[in-house]
PDB file of all heavy atoms in Angstrom:
ATOM      1  N   ARG B 141     -12.542  -5.444   0.296  1.00 91.00           N
ATOM      2  CA  ARG B 141     -11.978  -5.042   1.587  1.00 91.00           C
ATOM      3  C   ARG B 141     -10.530  -4.554   1.488  1.00 91.00           C
ATOM      4  O   ARG B 141      -9.764  -4.657   2.444  1.00 91.00           O
ATOM      5  CB  ARG B 141     -12.097  -6.164   2.605  1.00 91.00           C
ATOM      6  CG  ARG B 141     -13.548  -6.464   2.948  1.00 91.00           C
ATOM      7  CD  ARG B 141     -13.707  -7.501   4.037  1.00 91.00           C
ATOM      8  NE  ARG B 141     -15.110  -7.603   4.443  1.00 91.00           N
ATOM      9  CZ  ARG B 141     -15.641  -6.960   5.469  1.00 91.00           C
ATOM     10  NH1 ARG B 141     -14.891  -6.180   6.208  1.00 91.00           N
ATOM     11  NH2 ARG B 141     -16.925  -7.089   5.758  1.00 91.00           N
ATOM     12  N   LYS B 142     -10.174  -4.022   0.312  1.00 93.00           N
ATOM     13  CA  LYS B 142      -8.835  -3.461   0.121  1.00 93.00           C
ATOM     14  C   LYS B 142      -8.966  -2.024  -0.384  1.00 93.00           C
ATOM     15  O   LYS B 142     -10.044  -1.598  -0.818  1.00 93.00           O
ATOM     16  CB  LYS B 142      -8.045  -4.278  -0.921  1.00 93.00           C
ATOM     17  CG  LYS B 142      -7.797  -5.719  -0.530  1.00 93.00           C
ATOM     18  CD  LYS B 142      -6.770  -5.816   0.578  1.00 93.00           C
ATOM     19  CE  LYS B 142      -6.406  -7.266   0.837  1.00 93.00           C
ATOM     20  NZ  LYS B 142      -5.405  -7.379   1.928  1.00 93.00           N
ATOM     21  N   GLY B 143      -7.875  -1.283  -0.347  1.00 94.00           N
ATOM     22  CA  GLY B 143      -7.871   0.050  -0.918  1.00 94.00           C
ATOM     23  C   GLY B 143      -7.743  -0.008  -2.430  1.00 94.00           C
ATOM     24  O   GLY B 143      -7.210  -0.970  -2.984  1.00 94.00           O
ATOM     25  N   PRO B 144      -8.220   1.019  -3.129  1.00 95.00           N
ATOM     26  CA  PRO B 144      -8.075   1.053  -4.595  1.00 95.00           C
ATOM     27  C   PRO B 144      -6.605   1.131  -4.995  1.00 95.00           C
ATOM     28  O   PRO B 144      -5.799   1.760  -4.308  1.00 95.00           O
ATOM     29  CB  PRO B 144      -8.812   2.336  -4.988  1.00 95.00           C
ATOM     30  CG  PRO B 144      -9.701   2.660  -3.830  1.00 95.00           C
ATOM     31  CD  PRO B 144      -8.984   2.169  -2.624  1.00 95.00           C
ATOM     32  N   GLU B 145      -6.278   0.488  -6.116  1.00 93.00           N
ATOM     33  CA  GLU B 145      -4.923   0.578  -6.657  1.00 93.00           C
ATOM     34  C   GLU B 145      -4.992   1.130  -8.074  1.00 93.00           C
ATOM     35  O   GLU B 145      -5.856   0.743  -8.866  1.00 93.00           O
ATOM     36  CB  GLU B 145      -4.221  -0.773  -6.630  1.00 93.00           C
ATOM     37  CG  GLU B 145      -4.958  -1.888  -7.343  1.00 93.00           C
ATOM     38  CD  GLU B 145      -4.211  -3.205  -7.299  1.00 93.00           C
ATOM     39  OE1 GLU B 145      -2.985  -3.201  -7.495  1.00 93.00           O
ATOM     40  OE2 GLU B 145      -4.876  -4.241  -7.083  1.00 93.00           O
ATOM     41  N   LEU B 146      -4.098   2.043  -8.380  1.00 92.00           N
ATOM     42  CA  LEU B 146      -4.121   2.720  -9.670  1.00 92.00           C
ATOM     43  C   LEU B 146      -3.727   1.773 -10.795  1.00 92.00           C
ATOM     44  O   LEU B 146      -2.708   1.099 -10.733  1.00 92.00           O
ATOM     45  CB  LEU B 146      -3.161   3.912  -9.641  1.00 92.00           C
ATOM     46  CG  LEU B 146      -3.126   4.763 -10.912  1.00 92.00           C
ATOM     47  CD1 LEU B 146      -4.457   5.476 -11.123  1.00 92.00           C
ATOM     48  CD2 LEU B 146      -1.991   5.777 -10.820  1.00 92.00           C
ATOM     49  N   LEU B 147      -4.565   1.741 -11.841  1.00 94.00           N
ATOM     50  CA  LEU B 147      -4.278   0.946 -13.033  1.00 94.00           C
ATOM     51  C   LEU B 147      -3.747   1.803 -14.177  1.00 94.00           C
ATOM     52  O   LEU B 147      -2.737   1.488 -14.780  1.00 94.00           O
ATOM     53  CB  LEU B 147      -5.544   0.240 -13.517  1.00 94.00           C
ATOM     54  CG  LEU B 147      -5.995  -1.035 -12.821  1.00 94.00           C
ATOM     55  CD1 LEU B 147      -7.309  -1.501 -13.425  1.00 94.00           C
ATOM     56  CD2 LEU B 147      -4.932  -2.108 -12.926  1.00 94.00           C
ATOM     57  N   MET B 148      -4.496   2.854 -14.480  1.00 92.00           N
ATOM     58  CA  MET B 148      -4.167   3.669 -15.654  1.00 92.00           C
ATOM     59  C   MET B 148      -4.409   5.137 -15.336  1.00 92.00           C
ATOM     60  O   MET B 148      -5.363   5.479 -14.633  1.00 92.00           O
ATOM     61  CB  MET B 148      -5.038   3.283 -16.847  1.00 92.00           C
ATOM     62  CG  MET B 148      -4.935   1.844 -17.274  1.00 92.00           C
ATOM     63  SD  MET B 148      -3.387   1.496 -18.116  1.00 92.00           S
ATOM     64  CE  MET B 148      -3.680   2.254 -19.711  1.00 92.00           C
ATOM     65  N   TYR B 149      -3.548   5.991 -15.889  1.00 90.00           N
ATOM     66  CA  TYR B 149      -3.718   7.437 -15.754  1.00 90.00           C
ATOM     67  C   TYR B 149      -3.581   8.066 -17.140  1.00 90.00           C
ATOM     68  O   TYR B 149      -2.671   7.746 -17.882  1.00 90.00           O
ATOM     69  CB  TYR B 149      -2.648   7.991 -14.811  1.00 90.00           C
ATOM     70  CG  TYR B 149      -2.407   9.464 -14.965  1.00 90.00           C
ATOM     71  CD1 TYR B 149      -3.347  10.373 -14.519  1.00 90.00           C
ATOM     72  CD2 TYR B 149      -1.253   9.941 -15.575  1.00 90.00           C
ATOM     73  CE1 TYR B 149      -3.140  11.729 -14.671  1.00 90.00           C
ATOM     74  CE2 TYR B 149      -1.045  11.295 -15.732  1.00 90.00           C
ATOM     75  CZ  TYR B 149      -1.989  12.193 -15.276  1.00 90.00           C
ATOM     76  OH  TYR B 149      -1.783  13.530 -15.420  1.00 90.00           O
ATOM     77  N   THR B 150      -4.512   8.941 -17.470  1.00 89.00           N
ATOM     78  CA  THR B 150      -4.486   9.620 -18.767  1.00 89.00           C
ATOM     79  C   THR B 150      -4.739  11.103 -18.549  1.00 89.00           C
ATOM     80  O   THR B 150      -5.635  11.476 -17.783  1.00 89.00           O
ATOM     81  CB  THR B 150      -5.578   9.068 -19.702  1.00 89.00           C
ATOM     82  OG1 THR B 150      -5.480   7.662 -19.770  1.00 89.00           O
ATOM     83  CG2 THR B 150      -5.439   9.643 -21.100  1.00 89.00           C
ATOM     84  N   TYR B 151      -3.951  11.912 -19.229  1.00 86.00           N
ATOM     85  CA  TYR B 151      -4.170  13.353 -19.193  1.00 86.00           C
ATOM     86  C   TYR B 151      -4.750  13.777 -20.538  1.00 86.00           C
ATOM     87  O   TYR B 151      -4.225  13.415 -21.586  1.00 86.00           O
ATOM     88  CB  TYR B 151      -2.870  14.101 -18.920  1.00 86.00           C
ATOM     89  CG  TYR B 151      -3.006  15.599 -19.010  1.00 86.00           C
ATOM     90  CD1 TYR B 151      -3.710  16.301 -18.034  1.00 86.00           C
ATOM     91  CD2 TYR B 151      -2.478  16.305 -20.084  1.00 86.00           C
ATOM     92  CE1 TYR B 151      -3.858  17.675 -18.116  1.00 86.00           C
ATOM     93  CE2 TYR B 151      -2.622  17.672 -20.175  1.00 86.00           C
ATOM     94  CZ  TYR B 151      -3.310  18.355 -19.194  1.00 86.00           C
ATOM     95  OH  TYR B 151      -3.472  19.715 -19.279  1.00 86.00           O
ATOM     96  N   SER B 152      -5.871  14.480 -20.491  1.00 84.00           N
ATOM     97  CA  SER B 152      -6.568  14.965 -21.671  1.00 84.00           C
ATOM     98  C   SER B 152      -7.096  13.792 -22.502  1.00 84.00           C
ATOM     99  O   SER B 152      -7.462  12.766 -21.963  1.00 84.00           O
ATOM    100  CB  SER B 152      -5.653  15.878 -22.486  1.00 84.00           C
ATOM    101  OG  SER B 152      -6.410  16.579 -23.454  1.00 84.00           O
ATOM    102  N   SER B 153      -7.133  13.910 -23.801  1.00 82.00           N
ATOM    103  CA  SER B 153      -7.756  12.899 -24.646  1.00 82.00           C
ATOM    104  C   SER B 153      -6.751  11.856 -25.124  1.00 82.00           C
ATOM    105  O   SER B 153      -5.561  11.990 -24.927  1.00 82.00           O
ATOM    106  CB  SER B 153      -8.377  13.561 -25.876  1.00 82.00           C
ATOM    107  OG  SER B 153      -9.586  14.175 -25.560  1.00 82.00           O
ATOM    108  N   GLY B 154      -7.309  10.819 -25.758  1.00 84.00           N
ATOM    109  CA  GLY B 154      -6.443   9.845 -26.404  1.00 84.00           C
ATOM    110  C   GLY B 154      -6.489   8.490 -25.754  1.00 84.00           C
ATOM    111  O   GLY B 154      -7.303   8.218 -24.879  1.00 84.00           O
ATOM    112  N   ASN B 155      -5.599   7.642 -26.215  1.00 90.00           N
ATOM    113  CA  ASN B 155      -5.507   6.266 -25.737  1.00 90.00           C
ATOM    114  C   ASN B 155      -4.197   6.052 -25.011  1.00 90.00           C
ATOM    115  O   ASN B 155      -3.196   6.730 -25.276  1.00 90.00           O
ATOM    116  CB  ASN B 155      -5.548   5.290 -26.921  1.00 90.00           C
ATOM    117  CG  ASN B 155      -6.877   5.317 -27.642  1.00 90.00           C
ATOM    118  OD1 ASN B 155      -7.791   6.032 -27.247  1.00 90.00           O
ATOM    119  ND2 ASN B 155      -6.972   4.560 -28.711  1.00 90.00           N
ATOM    120  N   LYS B 156      -4.226   5.101 -24.088  1.00 92.00           N
ATOM    121  CA  LYS B 156      -3.009   4.697 -23.392  1.00 92.00           C
ATOM    122  C   LYS B 156      -3.072   3.206 -23.167  1.00 92.00           C
ATOM    123  O   LYS B 156      -4.113   2.700 -22.734  1.00 92.00           O
ATOM    124  CB  LYS B 156      -2.874   5.432 -22.066  1.00 92.00           C
ATOM    125  CG  LYS B 156      -1.558   5.197 -21.354  1.00 92.00           C
ATOM    126  CD  LYS B 156      -1.445   6.110 -20.151  1.00 92.00           C
ATOM    127  CE  LYS B 156      -0.096   5.984 -19.473  1.00 92.00           C
ATOM    128  NZ  LYS B 156       0.030   6.922 -18.329  1.00 92.00           N
ATOM    129  N   GLU B 157      -1.979   2.523 -23.459  1.00 94.00           N
ATOM    130  CA  GLU B 157      -1.951   1.071 -23.336  1.00 94.00           C
ATOM    131  C   GLU B 157      -0.879   0.660 -22.351  1.00 94.00           C
ATOM    132  O   GLU B 157       0.218   1.223 -22.322  1.00 94.00           O
ATOM    133  CB  GLU B 157      -1.677   0.439 -24.705  1.00 94.00           C
ATOM    134  CG  GLU B 157      -1.802  -1.074 -24.732  1.00 94.00           C
ATOM    135  CD  GLU B 157      -1.680  -1.630 -26.143  1.00 94.00           C
ATOM    136  OE1 GLU B 157      -2.204  -1.002 -27.079  1.00 94.00           O
ATOM    137  OE2 GLU B 157      -1.043  -2.682 -26.301  1.00 94.00           O
ATOM    138  N   ASP B 158      -1.219  -0.349 -21.522  1.00 93.00           N
ATOM    139  CA  ASP B 158      -0.256  -0.897 -20.569  1.00 93.00           C
ATOM    140  C   ASP B 158      -0.551  -2.373 -20.413  1.00 93.00           C
ATOM    141  O   ASP B 158      -1.485  -2.751 -19.713  1.00 93.00           O
ATOM    142  CB  ASP B 158      -0.361  -0.178 -19.223  1.00 93.00           C
ATOM    143  CG  ASP B 158       0.695  -0.641 -18.233  1.00 93.00           C
ATOM    144  OD1 ASP B 158       1.542  -1.497 -18.592  1.00 93.00           O
ATOM    145  OD2 ASP B 158       0.693  -0.153 -17.090  1.00 93.00           O
ATOM    146  N   GLY B 159       0.221  -3.184 -21.118  1.00 96.00           N
ATOM    147  CA  GLY B 159      -0.001  -4.625 -21.062  1.00 96.00           C
ATOM    148  C   GLY B 159      -1.360  -4.996 -21.614  1.00 96.00           C
ATOM    149  O   GLY B 159      -1.703  -4.653 -22.745  1.00 96.00           O
ATOM    150  N   ARG B 160      -2.167  -5.653 -20.809  1.00 97.00           N
ATOM    151  CA  ARG B 160      -3.508  -6.084 -21.252  1.00 97.00           C
ATOM    152  C   ARG B 160      -4.554  -4.975 -21.111  1.00 97.00           C
ATOM    153  O   ARG B 160      -5.713  -5.178 -21.466  1.00 97.00           O
ATOM    154  CB  ARG B 160      -3.945  -7.301 -20.431  1.00 97.00           C
ATOM    155  CG  ARG B 160      -3.074  -8.535 -20.620  1.00 97.00           C
ATOM    156  CD  ARG B 160      -3.646  -9.745 -19.881  1.00 97.00           C
ATOM    157  NE  ARG B 160      -3.632  -9.561 -18.434  1.00 97.00           N
ATOM    158  CZ  ARG B 160      -4.726  -9.441 -17.686  1.00 97.00           C
ATOM    159  NH1 ARG B 160      -5.933  -9.458 -18.257  1.00 97.00           N
ATOM    160  NH2 ARG B 160      -4.626  -9.312 -16.374  1.00 97.00           N
ATOM    161  N   PHE B 161      -4.169  -3.838 -20.583  1.00 97.00           N
ATOM    162  CA  PHE B 161      -5.111  -2.757 -20.304  1.00 97.00           C
ATOM    163  C   PHE B 161      -4.940  -1.601 -21.291  1.00 97.00           C
ATOM    164  O   PHE B 161      -3.827  -1.198 -21.594  1.00 97.00           O
ATOM    165  CB  PHE B 161      -4.915  -2.226 -18.876  1.00 97.00           C
ATOM    166  CG  PHE B 161      -5.152  -3.255 -17.812  1.00 97.00           C
ATOM    167  CD1 PHE B 161      -4.107  -4.028 -17.335  1.00 97.00           C
ATOM    168  CD2 PHE B 161      -6.420  -3.454 -17.286  1.00 97.00           C
ATOM    169  CE1 PHE B 161      -4.316  -4.987 -16.343  1.00 97.00           C
ATOM    170  CE2 PHE B 161      -6.643  -4.408 -16.299  1.00 97.00           C
ATOM    171  CZ  PHE B 161      -5.588  -5.175 -15.833  1.00 97.00           C
ATOM    172  N   THR B 162      -6.089  -1.082 -21.781  1.00 97.00           N
ATOM    173  CA  THR B 162      -6.095   0.099 -22.631  1.00 97.00           C
ATOM    174  C   THR B 162      -7.133   1.075 -22.101  1.00 97.00           C
ATOM    175  O   THR B 162      -8.283   0.695 -21.882  1.00 97.00           O
ATOM    176  CB  THR B 162      -6.433  -0.251 -24.087  1.00 97.00           C
ATOM    177  OG1 THR B 162      -5.450  -1.153 -24.602  1.00 97.00           O
ATOM    178  CG2 THR B 162      -6.459   1.001 -24.949  1.00 97.00           C
ATOM    179  N   ALA B 163      -6.712   2.312 -21.913  1.00 96.00           N
ATOM    180  CA  ALA B 163      -7.628   3.359 -21.475  1.00 96.00           C
ATOM    181  C   ALA B 163      -7.865   4.306 -22.636  1.00 96.00           C
ATOM    182  O   ALA B 163      -6.940   4.667 -23.354  1.00 96.00           O
ATOM    183  CB  ALA B 163      -7.054   4.110 -20.284  1.00 96.00           C
ATOM    184  N   GLN B 164      -9.127   4.694 -22.819  1.00 95.00           N
ATOM    185  CA  GLN B 164      -9.480   5.637 -23.878  1.00 95.00           C
ATOM    186  C   GLN B 164     -10.262   6.793 -23.271  1.00 95.00           C
ATOM    187  O   GLN B 164     -11.105   6.592 -22.391  1.00 95.00           O
ATOM    188  CB  GLN B 164     -10.359   4.951 -24.939  1.00 95.00           C
ATOM    189  CG  GLN B 164      -9.640   3.955 -25.806  1.00 95.00           C
ATOM    190  CD  GLN B 164     -10.535   3.399 -26.907  1.00 95.00           C
ATOM    191  OE1 GLN B 164     -11.744   3.620 -26.915  1.00 95.00           O
ATOM    192  NE2 GLN B 164      -9.937   2.674 -27.838  1.00 95.00           N
ATOM    193  N   VAL B 165      -9.989   7.987 -23.769  1.00 95.00           N
ATOM    194  CA  VAL B 165     -10.721   9.174 -23.338  1.00 95.00           C
ATOM    195  C   VAL B 165     -11.272   9.863 -24.582  1.00 95.00           C
ATOM    196  O   VAL B 165     -10.523  10.170 -25.509  1.00 95.00           O
ATOM    197  CB  VAL B 165      -9.818  10.155 -22.569  1.00 95.00           C
ATOM    198  CG1 VAL B 165     -10.582  11.436 -22.246  1.00 95.00           C
ATOM    199  CG2 VAL B 165      -9.290   9.516 -21.293  1.00 95.00           C
TER     200      VAL B 165
END
Side-chain angles (χ1 to χ4, degrees):
Chain B
R141 294 184 172 265
K142 298 288 187 180
E145 56 179 317
L146 183 66
L147 280 177
M148 301 286 285
Y149 159 72
T150 308
Y151 174 71
S152 193
S153 282
N155 294 358
K156 187 172 184 178
E157 187 173 321
D158 184 2
R160 296 186 295 113
F161 299 91
T162 299
Q164 289 185 350
V165 175

